């Protein structure tokens, strides 16, 4: 605008100076005053030209410099945000940023125990999943532990936290977006992806790879971080699949940071029924082996394409009772009939021909769900087993009584939906007392469901 103004003034000045010369020529003829005036006029016109040339050069250079600074600034900003991402420093977002990114929280891609998850796109075009934590006190606790735990971790099989926001009554966590939903929709028939449809089935090889990926993520959390991180909510809903169907573990809402030298911690019961290790009930304190247990249950669910606990109806009495899949697997493994427990859809598609590999996965799973935590392998050993560097021996026989009890503790005959759907429900757990002679006293809610209780 200023440039234009200056150009107009310069042009008008030149024109008026030319007019002065013409007028002088008419009135003064070729007299001495005319030459004097013409000389002054021409010098002024030349001065205006020089001013215009210098000014335009100056402007050009200024513009060049400006655009260089802008692009350098942008590069710096990109570099800064890249470094933040690489260093894993979560950004504090404004609520308006998240509203804009999610288009007013329009596309919901998930719902869990602590809130809803929405799809969004940030200004730098990265796709994100924005988790809106709902609920007052519980939400605050989960929010804090999630930020604390995940802010410091960097592993390709663990979800990345881009940032967070704490505005009004909601708190938000902003994660990288993982496109292929969670493992449950890929292994359990009939499960649907929110807003996308359903009926998906992961191949055997993909399942085996997912088993290795999750083991690596957990091993990293247990062994390679500054503090030991216990996830404490390992289940198919918290295992996301990326574009190549590789696993990315998410949801650190229940996780716990533990000092390296602490072998066990005592904490209130948290987790999802069906995936809780027996030590939660026995009140001995929990450890990373509690994650190993939940992982073992997930392995069994991947092999069988079914939940570890299902509700079955007695054809004769029409009474519903809970069926416990790990016990069936244990029995089939001892009878060397492991192929009978493999997901029927995979068998029909003739996808699984390596019985040895099935046997290996079953044995690893049964090792992981050993009732005594010390008998379970650590996650690093599980990786070695799955990748074939360590021989997998047959696990000791186990009645799985305590485990069965824990599974059942989430619901009784009329109310078992939560235990059979993987929805987190931290129930008032029945206290299990160890009496002399090592008998267990079972509370009434469970006594009708569990199978033979024997002194152990
Ligand atoms: N980063 C992500 N990318 C894509 N989808 C996601 C992402 N995070 C979560 N989801 C979807 O949202 C669902 C619920 O997420 P999440 O498990 O973190 O919520 P939650 O409230 O903590 O659940 P819960 O506490 O019951 O385990 C997931 O099962 C998944 O389908």
């Amino acid at each position: 605008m200023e440039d234009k103004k200056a150009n107009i003034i310069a042009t008008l000045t030149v024109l008026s100076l030319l007019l002065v010369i013409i007028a002088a020529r008419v009135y003064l003829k070729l007299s001495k005053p005319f030459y004097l005036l013409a000389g002054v006029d021409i010098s002024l016109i030349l001065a205006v030209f020089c001013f215009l040339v210098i000014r335009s050069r100056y402007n050009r250079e200024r513009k060049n410099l400006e655009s260089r600074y802008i692009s350098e600034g942008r590069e710096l900003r990109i570099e800064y945000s890249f470094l933040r991402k690489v260093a894993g420093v979560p950004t504090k977002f404004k609520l308006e940023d998240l509203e804009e990114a999610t288009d007013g929280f329009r596309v919901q891609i998930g719902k869990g125990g602590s809130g809803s998850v929405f799809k969004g796109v940030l200004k730098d075009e990265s796709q994100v999943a924005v988790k809106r934590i709902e609920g007052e006190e519980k939400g605050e606790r989960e929010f804090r532990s999630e930020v604390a735990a995940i802010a410091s971790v960097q592993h390709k099989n663990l979800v990345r936290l881009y940032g967070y926001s704490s505005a009004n009554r909601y708190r938000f966590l902003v994660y990288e977006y993982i496109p292929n939903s969670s493992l449950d929709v890929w292994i359990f028939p009939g499960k649907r992806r929110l807003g996308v449809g359903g009926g998906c089935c992961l191949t055997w090889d993909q399942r085996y790879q997912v088993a290795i990926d999750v083991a690596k993520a957990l091993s990293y959390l247990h062994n390679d971080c500054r503090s030991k991180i216990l996830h404490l909510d390992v289940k198919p809903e918290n295992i996301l699949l990326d574009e190549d169907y590789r696993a990315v573990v998410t949801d650190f809402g229940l996780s716990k940071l533990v000092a390296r030298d602490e072998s066990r911690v005592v904490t209130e019961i948290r987790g999802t029924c069906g995936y809780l290790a027996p030590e939660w009930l026995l009140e001995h304190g929990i450890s990373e082996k509690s994650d190993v247990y939940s992982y073992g249950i997930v392995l069994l669910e991947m092999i069988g394409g079914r939940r570890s606990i299902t509700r079955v109806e007695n054809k004769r009495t029409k009474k519903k009772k809970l069926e416990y899949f790990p016990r069936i697997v244990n029995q089939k493994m001892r009878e060397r009939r492991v192929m009978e427990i493999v997901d029927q859809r995979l068998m029909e598609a003739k996808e699984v021909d390596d019985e040895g590999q099935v046997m290996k996965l079953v044995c690893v799973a049964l090792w992981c769900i050993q009732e005594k935590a010390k008998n379970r392998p650590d996650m690093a050993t599980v990786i070695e087993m799955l990748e074939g560097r360590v021989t997998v021996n047959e696990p000791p026989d186990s009645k799985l009584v305590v485990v069965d009890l824990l599974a059942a503790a989430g619901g009784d005959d009329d109310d078992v939906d939560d235990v059979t759907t993987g929805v987190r429900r931290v129930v008032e757990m029945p206290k299990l007392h160890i009496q002399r002679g090592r008998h267990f006293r079972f509370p009434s809610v469970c006594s009708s469901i569990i199978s033979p209780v024997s002194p152990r």
Side-chain angles (χ1 to χ4, degrees):
M1 195 66 191
E2 290 226 328
D3 276 0
K4 259 190 182 171
K5 241 187 198 172
N7 285 345
I8 292 170
I9 293 171
T11 317
L12 289 176
T13 317
V14 171
L15 284 176
S16 39
L17 287 170
L18 285 174
L19 274 176
V20 170
I21 293 179
I22 294 165
R25 174 73 179 85
V26 173
Y27 295 108
L28 300 175
K29 304 283 186 290
L30 289 174
S31 63
K32 226 177 176 186
F34 164 72
Y35 285 116
L36 209 67
L37 204 65
V40 172
D41 254 21
I42 289 166
S43 336
L44 284 175
I45 290 172
L46 284 175
V48 170
F49 271 119
C50 286
F51 167 75
L52 286 178
V53 170
I54 291 170
R55 191 188 154 82
S56 88
R57 274 201 177 171
Y58 166 78
N59 281 348
R60 206 175 326 127
E61 265 179 31
R62 200 190 62 193
K63 272 186 191 145
N64 282 346
L65 220 66
E66 262 176 19
S67 61
R68 218 175 72 207
Y69 283 151
I70 287 172
S71 80
E72 273 176 7
R74 198 172 46 229
E75 273 167 25
L76 264 176
R77 270 201 305 279
I78 292 171
E79 198 172 324
Y80 177 66
S81 87
F82 172 75
L83 283 175
R84 281 184 79 95
K85 278 183 189 169
V86 169
V89 184
T91 308
K92 187 165 185 196
F93 287 98
K94 288 197 199 112
L95 179 60
E96 304 89 78
D97 293 339
L98 299 184
E99 272 170 346
E100 193 187 323
T102 56
D103 198 6
F105 302 101
R106 208 168 47 82
V107 184
Q108 189 180 341
I109 50 174
K111 179 140 185 73
S114 57
S116 312
V117 183
F118 302 88
K119 190 176 174 187
V121 182
L122 293 181
K123 284 198 184 100
D124 68 358
E125 293 184 1
S126 29
Q127 294 199 317
V128 287
V130 180
K131 179 157 148 188
R132 186 172 68 191
I133 298 179
E134 293 142 12
E136 299 290 314
E137 188 199 327
K138 180 175 136 242
E140 182 62 33
R141 196 190 60 199
E142 296 199 356
F143 179 72
R144 281 169 194 275
S145 49
E146 193 140 4
V147 174
I150 200 174
S152 60
V153 301
Q154 290 281 331
H155 191 279
K156 65 182 164 65
N157 300 117
L158 288 172
V159 75
R160 293 234 321 254
L161 179 73
Y162 285 166
Y164 61 95
S165 172
S166 191
N168 306 333
R169 66 199 178 97
Y170 291 129
R171 283 158 295 265
F172 299 90
L173 290 163
V174 184
Y175 294 103
E176 66 173 315
Y177 174 70
I178 311 291
N180 269 322
S181 194
S182 44
L183 180 63
D184 51 324
V185 303
W186 293 96
I187 56 172
F188 301 134
K191 275 287 270 188
R192 294 195 164 266
R193 301 168 71 178
L194 248 171
V196 186
C200 324
C201 181
L202 219 56
T203 66
W204 175 259
D205 289 343
Q206 285 166 332
R207 291 179 201 211
Y208 201 85
Q209 187 57 59
V210 165
I212 295 175
D213 288 343
V214 177
K216 285 186 175 165
L218 293 178
S219 170
Y220 170 80
L221 290 177
H222 296 167
N223 306 312
D224 303 326
C225 298
R226 232 173 266 279
S227 328
K228 216 175 348 185
I229 299 176
L230 313 187
H231 185 283
L232 303 183
D233 201 15
V234 178
K235 60 179 179 180
E237 284 72 11
N238 290 338
I239 298 168
L240 304 173
L241 298 181
D242 72 8
E243 51 285 352
D244 301 318
Y245 299 94
R246 302 294 297 264
V248 179
V249 174
T250 184
D251 196 354
F252 286 69
L254 300 188
S255 58
K256 196 152 180 58
L257 299 176
V258 179
R260 290 245 138 255
D261 52 1
E262 257 182 298
S263 60
R264 276 162 185 243
V265 280
V266 177
T267 174
E268 79 278 25
I269 287 182
R270 43 171 102 179
T272 304
C273 290
Y275 301 89
L276 289 168
E279 53 269 25
W280 282 110
L281 260 191
L282 298 171
E283 295 179 330
H284 288 160
I286 49 125
S287 68
E288 62 270 35
K289 293 292 182 74
S290 314
D291 278 346
V292 175
Y293 176 86
S294 315
Y295 171 81
I297 294 287
V298 173
L299 280 192
L300 291 181
E301 295 188 329
M302 279 204 287
I303 297 167
R306 55 176 283 186
R307 293 262 181 212
S308 66
I309 314 160
T310 40
R311 184 165 41 171
V312 288
E313 198 181 64
N314 185 312
K315 285 200 183 95
R316 203 170 43 81
T317 60
K318 295 278 175 250
K319 235 186 155 269
K320 288 177 183 141
K321 71 175 185 91
L322 295 173
E323 187 175 82
Y324 192 48
F325 186 52
R327 177 172 294 128
I328 301 173
V329 176
N330 189 41
Q331 195 185 328
K332 295 279 182 197
M333 190 274 289
R334 312 242 161 238
E335 295 165 3
R336 298 285 179 276
R337 288 157 62 195
V338 282
M339 296 310 264
E340 290 175 23
I341 48 120
V342 174
D343 188 338
Q344 218 37 50
R345 294 167 300 167
L346 297 182
M347 293 308 284
E348 278 159 18
K350 299 202 181 348
E351 274 242 1
V352 199
D353 46 14
D354 186 350
E355 192 172 338
Q357 200 182 41
V358 176
M359 188 66 174
K360 179 155 81 176
L361 208 55
V362 166
C363 286
V364 171
L366 291 177
W367 271 113
C368 291
I369 63 163
Q370 287 295 305
E371 283 180 1
K372 284 199 177 119
K374 69 173 173 21
N375 288 347
R376 296 173 210 150
D378 58 25
M379 288 315 302
T381 311
V382 169
I383 300 170
E384 305 273 283
M385 287 170 160
L386 293 178
E387 293 188 331
R389 287 186 293 276
V390 165
T391 323
V392 187
N393 300 323
E394 194 171 299
D397 199 358
S398 165
K399 294 272 182 305
L400 300 165
V401 172
V402 183
V403 177
D404 200 2
L405 170 70
L406 255 169
D412 55 27
D413 289 34
D414 302 320
D415 176 26
V416 291
D417 278 349
D418 285 353
V419 263
T420 58
T421 55
V423 173
R424 185 185 332 145
R425 181 173 158 209
V426 183
V427 288
E428 254 314 288
M429 281 290 181
K431 291 275 181 291
L432 192 65
H433 301 282
I434 302 176
Q435 298 179 326
R436 261 194 305 162
R438 295 168 75 218
H439 286 76
F440 297 131
R441 178 149 58 83
F442 295 100
S444 59
V445 60
C446 299
S447 54
S448 60
I449 308 163
I450 55 157
S451 17
V453 179
S454 49
R456 313 184 68 245

